[in-house]
């Protein structure tokens, strides 16, 4: 059995590659002929870097890559990705949105390699943890390379060591850990914020029955936190829509979804971090399916059902009991998701 | 005179609501002064506690320290979770009569370590405080363990300090013997390790303010500051690009270092960690 590697692949605008591979470059440089011998392309559109040893990632490998999403370039991208998904490797794949990748690509890539130990994330505009600046932990700078900074005092940071030609620790570990566990963090934060703002409705002096309108007002009091939009984003395609004429639903839903996305984007910009659930939930659903662990998936659906009942049910009142049950559902889901949070 | 509940919390909407809740029931709701660390009867930590962008559970870092400093303190963990633990307050279902509930809480002295029956040194004792305890957020004490142990054995807190000291000695010896080549090599190693340590210290410094052993943290912080100013420059640093830069760096390296003072500060760091922090971080091993 081959040695298990922890592989991080970042498809991004690396300055080390003069140009990313798009349809034109692919055809000009006749990359078609390399599809079955992609090793010959190392250094041209992808490059491997070894990683300093750590207990968490004893066999780390970092791969830089710059391939634009296109039907023509897809086979090249998939062949390179497939190379690292050999055996029992764990792979984290990061796709730059500016390279024309979106949520649909995350789903199709995960489905194409279903059963493999692959997680896939979208990154852009320096907002994600993988960029050093967001939390002084990530690997990338904002201009196409590994983060490097120094000043005349003794503070000195470099995430890549030019001497040993290795990606440095603990930066690799921190990024690795963050993306392995980020879904749990996001669910946890959503739960905590939701209940922090609902607390006045749960006090002993408040009656058992709670008007759904009051609940939504409480969430709206959390100005700029986009709480209801984040709940809807968490629900994704499981969100229940109010009954109305089909055409009206489509228009209303589309317009509301656009507004909600904008609201979450504003929060992301203000906080310098990611709040969308989309790619994380997709990874979660497909990973859990692949590992035959349907428990987490069931808990996700159960939590969504309870959210739908409370916020989008036919009743205009909910109750303290329903909110407590929702908190329990969230807690169980968090417990079942991989991560560091102690429940 | 109303009795007081002191809190460590930073979730603003919850702090405001709890202030009203306690005041309405005749209790003073006061922020615990972390700068002074006084003895108090009731100390409530609201979990999770946000530090930077991470959410932490504080009680495992505070309980061992209170056990030593103020064993009569009733440490309360408040969170949005149900628990059978006598000191966990479920915010989803707050009691109408908080007086009765508070009376039933137990001082930390009621939770001494007990023999686990396991021989291994680091598992010999267990902390009954953890039985039925619910935590919301990353265990802050586990985070401190990571700070001490590092990502590999050679980069643990103690290994780094010991090797930095050895490199310093080597550097001084080679300098005295005018063996510039070896002095430069020792200096390079020293700087690499220091860079590693200094980054770790900076990275973790955001959580230090919320730990109970503040005196120890301050002592180490002062020593770290001294070392930042007095360790020799790394002449390999790419910022030193011009010949003049390099000449200056060489002369710094050859200048007599305040070795004794540096060693003293390294000793202070090691001893403070060993005596005043480690026993609260690795309690199962140390007590």
């Amino acid at each position: 059995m081959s040695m298990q590697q922890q592989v991080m692949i970042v498809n991004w605008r690396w300055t080390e590659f003069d140009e990313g591979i798009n349809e034109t470059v692919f055809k000009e440089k006749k990359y078609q002929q390399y599809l079955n011998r992609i090793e010959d392309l190392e250094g041209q559109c992808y490059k491997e870097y070894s990683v300093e040893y750590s207990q968490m990632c004893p066999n780390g490998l970092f791969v830089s890559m710059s391939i634009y999403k296109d039907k023509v370039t897809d086979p090249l991208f998939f062949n390179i990705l497939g190379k690292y998904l050999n055996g029992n490797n764990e792979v984290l794949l990061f796709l730059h949105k500016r390279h024309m990748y979106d949520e649909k690509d995350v789903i199709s890539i995960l489905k194409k390699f279903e059963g493999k130990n692959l997680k896939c994330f979208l990154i852009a505009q320096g907002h994600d943890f993988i960029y050093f600046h967001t939390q002084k932990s990530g690997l990338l700078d904002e201009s196409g390379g590994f983060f490097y900074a120094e000043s005349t005092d003794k503070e000195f940071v470099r995430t890549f060591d030019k001497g040993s030609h290795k990606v440095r620790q603990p930066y690799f570990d921190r990024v690795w850990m963050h993306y392995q566990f980020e879904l749990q963090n996001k669910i946890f934060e959503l739960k905590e914020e939701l209940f922090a703002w609902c607390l006045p409705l749960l006090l002993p002096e408040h009656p058992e029955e709670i008007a759904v309108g009051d609940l939504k007002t409480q969430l709206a009091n959390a100005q700029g936190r986009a709480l209801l939009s984040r709940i809807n984003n968490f629900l994704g395609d499981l969100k229940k829509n109010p009954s109305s004429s089909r055409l009206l639903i489509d228009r209303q839903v589309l317009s509301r979804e656009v507004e909600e996305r904008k609201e979450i984007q504003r929060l992301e910009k203000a906080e310098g971090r990611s709040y969308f659930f989309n790619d994380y939930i997709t990874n979660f659903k497909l990973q859990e399916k692949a590992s035959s662990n349907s428990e987490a998936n069931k808990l996700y659906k159960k939590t969504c059902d309870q959210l739908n009942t409370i916020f989008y049910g036919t009743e205009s009142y909910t109750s303290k009991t329903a909110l407590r049950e929702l908190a329990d559902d969230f807690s169980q889901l968090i417990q079942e998701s991989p991560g560091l949070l102690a429940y | 005179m109303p009795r007081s509940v002191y809190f460590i919390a930073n979730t603003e909407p919850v702090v405001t609501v709890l202030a009203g809740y306690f005041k309405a029931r005749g209790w003073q709701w006061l922020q615990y002064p972390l700068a002074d660390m006084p003895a108090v009867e009731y100390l409530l930590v609201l979990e999770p506690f946000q530090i930077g962008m991470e959410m932490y559970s504080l009680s495992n870092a505070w309980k061992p320290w209170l056990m030593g400093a103020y064993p009569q303190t009733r440490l309360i963990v408040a969170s949005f979770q149900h628990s059978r633990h006598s000191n966990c307050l479920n915010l989803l279902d707050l009691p109408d009569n908080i007086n009765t509930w508070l009376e039933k809480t137990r001082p930390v002295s009621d939770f001494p370590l007990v023999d686990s029956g396991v021989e291994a040194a680091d598992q010999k004792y267990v902390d009954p405080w953890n039985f039925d305890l619910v935590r919301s957020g990353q265990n802050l004490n586990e985070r401190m363990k990571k700070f001490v142990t590092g990502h590999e054995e050679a980069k643990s807190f103690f290994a780094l300090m010991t090797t930095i000291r050895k490199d310093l000695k080597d550097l001084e010896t080679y300098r005295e013997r005018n063996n510039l080549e070896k002095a430069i090599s020792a200096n390079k190693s020293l700087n690499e390790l220091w860079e590693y340590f200094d980054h770790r210290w900076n990275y973790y410094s955001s959580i230090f303010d919320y730990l109970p052993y503040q005196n120890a943290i301050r002592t180490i912080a002062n020593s770290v500051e001294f070392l930042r100013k007095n360790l020799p420059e790394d002449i390999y640093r790419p910022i030193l690009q011009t010949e003049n830069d390099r000449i200056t760096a060489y002369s710094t390296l050859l200048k007599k270092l305040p070795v004794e003072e540096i060693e003293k500060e390294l000793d202070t760091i090691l001893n403070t960690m060993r005596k005043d922090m480690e026993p609260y971080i690795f309690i199962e091993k140390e007590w």
Side-chain angles (χ1 to χ4, degrees), chain A residues 116-182:
Chain A
K116 296 288 183 185
N117 203 340
L118 169 70
K119 289 195 175 82
C120 181
F121 303 95
L122 295 167
I123 56 169
Q125 297 174 331
H127 285 172
D128 300 274
F129 187 91
I130 196 168
Y131 296 99
F132 182 86
H133 273 299
T134 57
Q135 288 201 51
K136 294 192 173 179
S137 290
L139 289 162
L140 309 181
D141 64 17
E142 287 166 54
S143 55
F146 289 104
F147 184 82
Y148 179 94
E150 64 178 310
S151 54
T152 47
D153 63 20
K154 289 207 165 85
E155 282 187 49
F156 179 40
V157 177
R158 57 203 156 97
T159 61
F160 178 73
D161 189 277
K162 284 180 185 163
S164 64
H165 216 67
K166 283 184 177 179
V167 176
R168 299 195 71 210
Q169 293 290 13
Y171 306 100
F172 186 90
D173 275 2
R174 285 180 187 156
V175 172
W176 186 264
M177 199 162 74
H178 178 89
Y179 285 96
Q180 290 282 11
F181 301 153
E182 178 62 352

Side-chain angles (χ1 to χ4, degrees), chain B residues 40-262:
Chain B
V40 297
E41 188 180 8
Y42 293 103
L43 178 61
L44 180 148
V45 290
L46 175 62
E47 295 186 350
F49 186 90
Q50 187 167 357
I51 304 175
M53 289 182 182
E54 308 278 354
M55 308 284 240
Y56 288 99
S57 160
L58 304 186
S59 83
N60 279 86
W62 278 79
K63 186 261 168 178
W65 182 82
L66 288 169
M67 188 86 180
Y70 307 125
Q72 289 312 306
T73 309
R74 290 163 193 258
L75 179 64
I76 298 161
V77 181
S79 70
F80 290 102
Q81 282 197 97
H82 167 76
S83 165
R84 286 181 301 179
H85 196 291
S86 62
N87 292 31
C88 284
L89 182 63
N90 180 8
L91 300 175
L92 294 164
D93 197 2
L94 283 165
D96 196 15
N97 188 340
I98 192 68
N99 295 14
T100 312
W101 189 88
L102 286 169
E103 274 167 25
K104 286 182 184 164
T105 58
R106 297 157 67 192
V108 289
S109 58
D110 273 12
F111 301 92
L113 296 191
V114 292
D115 198 321
S116 66
V118 179
E119 283 303 311
D122 58 349
Q123 295 169 31
K124 193 166 170 49
Y125 298 101
V126 287
D127 188 350
W129 172 258
N130 290 325
F131 301 162
D132 292 327
L133 178 77
V134 287
R135 276 187 295 265
S136 288
Q138 287 184 53
N139 184 332
L140 185 63
N141 198 52
E142 287 300 315
R143 198 63 201 266
M144 282 307 291
K145 282 183 182 169
K146 196 76 194 162
F147 170 74
V148 179
T149 56
H151 288 247
E152 58 170 311
E153 224 168 286
K155 301 269 175 67
S156 75
F157 185 96
F158 293 108
L160 281 174
M161 283 293 115
T162 310
T163 317
I164 286 171
R165 191 182 177 135
K166 180 193 165 293
D167 286 340
L168 180 74
K169 281 283 196 197
D170 287 351
L171 172 59
E172 185 60 1
T173 307
Y174 295 133
R175 190 196 65 74
E176 280 169 5
R177 291 177 189 168
N178 286 323
N179 189 337
L180 186 63
E181 200 181 322
K182 286 196 169 175
I184 288 171
S185 168
N187 187 40
K188 186 171 188 289
S189 165
L190 187 154
N191 269 280
E192 278 173 0
L193 295 172
W194 174 255
E195 179 199 330
Y196 201 93
F197 175 83
D198 197 25
H199 176 73
R200 195 190 303 177
W201 181 264
N202 281 327
Y203 181 70
Y204 280 84
S205 60
S206 60
I207 68 173
F208 292 158
D209 288 345
Y210 307 102
L211 291 166
Y213 26 84
Q214 284 297 308
N215 285 340
I217 297 276
R218 273 184 224 122
T219 305
I220 295 182
N222 288 338
S223 295
V224 167
E225 201 47 48
F226 178 90
L227 294 175
R228 276 183 190 147
K229 286 178 186 152
N230 289 284
L231 281 177
E233 281 285 324
D234 178 4
I235 57 173
Y236 280 92
R237 289 175 69 184
I239 198 170
L240 305 169
Q241 282 169 352
T242 69
E243 195 56 28
N244 273 346
D245 282 344
R246 289 193 181 278
I247 289 167
T248 311
Y250 273 92
S251 60
T252 311
L253 180 65
L254 291 171
K255 193 177 74 180
K256 181 153 174 55
L257 290 166
V259 176
E260 276 180 25
E261 287 95 322
I262 293 175

Side-chain angles (χ1 to χ4, degrees), chain A residues 204-238:
Chain A
E205 37 273 39
H206 194 282
E208 170 65 19
E209 280 204 326
I210 296 169
V212 176
D214 289 350
L215 187 58
K216 288 184 176 171
T217 304
Q218 280 302 126
L219 300 190
N221 286 340
Q223 284 181 4
R225 300 303 304 165
L227 269 173
L228 202 55
S229 299
R230 281 157 66 198
I231 288 171
N232 291 340
N233 192 255
F234 172 81
L235 287 167
D237 54 11
L238 293 182

Side-chain angles (χ1 to χ4, degrees), chain A residues 35-290:
Chain A
L35 288 180
N36 291 322
R37 47 191 179 97
I38 49 171
E39 282 77 10
D40 294 350
L41 289 177
E42 209 201 320
Q44 292 183 54
C45 62
Y46 79 99
K47 196 171 175 183
E48 289 181 9
Y49 295 95
S50 52
V51 177
E52 285 181 359
Y53 173 85
S54 80
Q55 284 164 350
M56 182 186 290
C57 300
N59 303 304
L61 181 70
F62 187 94
V63 181
S64 61
M65 185 198 271
S66 188
I67 300 175
Y68 284 87
K69 163 74 191 163
D70 188 274
K71 272 184 191 164
V72 176
T73 58
D74 269 355
L76 177 64
F77 171 80
F78 286 135
N79 281 7
I80 296 173
L81 180 57
K83 176 184 168 182
Y84 297 103
L85 281 164
N86 273 337
N88 54 352
N89 282 353
E90 291 177 82
V91 177
L92 295 188
L93 172 67
F94 296 91
L95 300 170
H96 192 212
K97 289 181 190 166
R98 291 270 169 87
H99 276 59
M100 315 308 286
Y101 288 93
D102 63 22
E103 250 166 61
K104 287 189 207 96
D105 299 310
V106 171
I107 295 169
S108 70
I109 291 166
L110 289 171
K111 282 193 172 159
K112 185 174 175 65
F113 292 99
E114 206 168 304
K116 296 288 183 185
N117 203 340
L118 169 70
K119 289 195 175 82
C120 181
F121 303 95
L122 295 167
I123 56 169
Q125 297 174 331
H127 285 172
D128 300 274
F129 187 91
I130 196 168
Y131 296 99
F132 182 86
H133 273 299
T134 57
Q135 288 201 51
K136 294 192 173 179
S137 290
L139 289 162
L140 309 181
D141 64 17
E142 287 166 54
S143 55
F146 289 104
F147 184 82
Y148 179 94
E150 64 178 310
S151 54
T152 47
D153 63 20
K154 289 207 165 85
E155 282 187 49
F156 179 40
V157 177
R158 57 203 156 97
T159 61
F160 178 73
D161 189 277
K162 284 180 185 163
S164 64
H165 216 67
K166 283 184 177 179
V167 176
R168 299 195 71 210
Q169 293 290 13
Y171 306 100
F172 186 90
D173 275 2
R174 285 180 187 156
V175 172
W176 186 264
M177 199 162 74
H178 178 89
Y179 285 96
Q180 290 282 11
F181 301 153
E182 178 62 352
L183 176 64
Q184 192 198 43
N185 285 329
K186 283 190 180 197
I187 299 172
F188 177 68
E189 284 176 27
L190 179 64
K191 177 213 158 188
E192 291 299 324
E193 273 198 70
L194 169 65
F195 285 96
W197 287 94
C198 291
L199 181 58
L201 308 176
L202 292 164
L203 289 174
E205 37 273 39
H206 194 282
E208 170 65 19
E209 280 204 326
I210 296 169
V212 176
D214 289 350
L215 187 58
K216 288 184 176 171
T217 304
Q218 280 302 126
L219 300 190
N221 286 340
Q223 284 181 4
R225 300 303 304 165
L227 269 173
L228 202 55
S229 299
R230 281 157 66 198
I231 288 171
N232 291 340
N233 192 255
F234 172 81
L235 287 167
D237 54 11
L238 293 182
K239 183 176 176 294
K240 212 196 255 181
N241 284 313
S243 58
S244 187
S245 84
R246 183 73 210 156
L247 189 62
L248 193 60
I249 288 176
D250 288 348
R251 278 187 190 154
Q252 282 176 342
V253 167
L254 265 178
S255 136
R256 195 196 56 237
E257 279 178 359
V258 169
E259 275 313 304
E260 285 175 355
R261 288 191 76 82
K262 280 184 188 166
E263 200 188 359
I264 299 174
Q265 278 165 353
R266 278 196 293 274
L267 174 65
E268 288 195 336
K269 202 174 173 188
E271 298 276 325
R273 61 184 301 195
S274 147
Y275 280 94
F276 280 105
F277 279 98
N278 309 51
D279 42 352
Y280 292 89
I281 293 284
T282 305
N283 278 291
F284 175 70
K285 282 181 182 171
L286 293 172
Q287 277 288 310
E288 293 306 326
K289 193 175 161 193

Side-chain angles (χ1 to χ4, degrees), chain A residues 300-334:
Chain A
Y300 169 63
K301 283 180 188 141
K302 191 165 176 256
T303 311
C304 289
D305 284 346
Q306 188 68 358
L307 279 167
N308 273 321
T309 307
I310 292 172
F311 287 96
Y312 302 107
T314 48
E315 305 292 329
S316 52
Y317 279 85
T318 182
S319 64
K320 286 180 175 177
T321 307
L323 284 176
R324 287 177 194 132
E325 282 168 6
L326 176 63
D328 279 350
D329 291 339
F330 265 122
S331 295
Q332 284 178 48
L333 173 60
I334 291 160

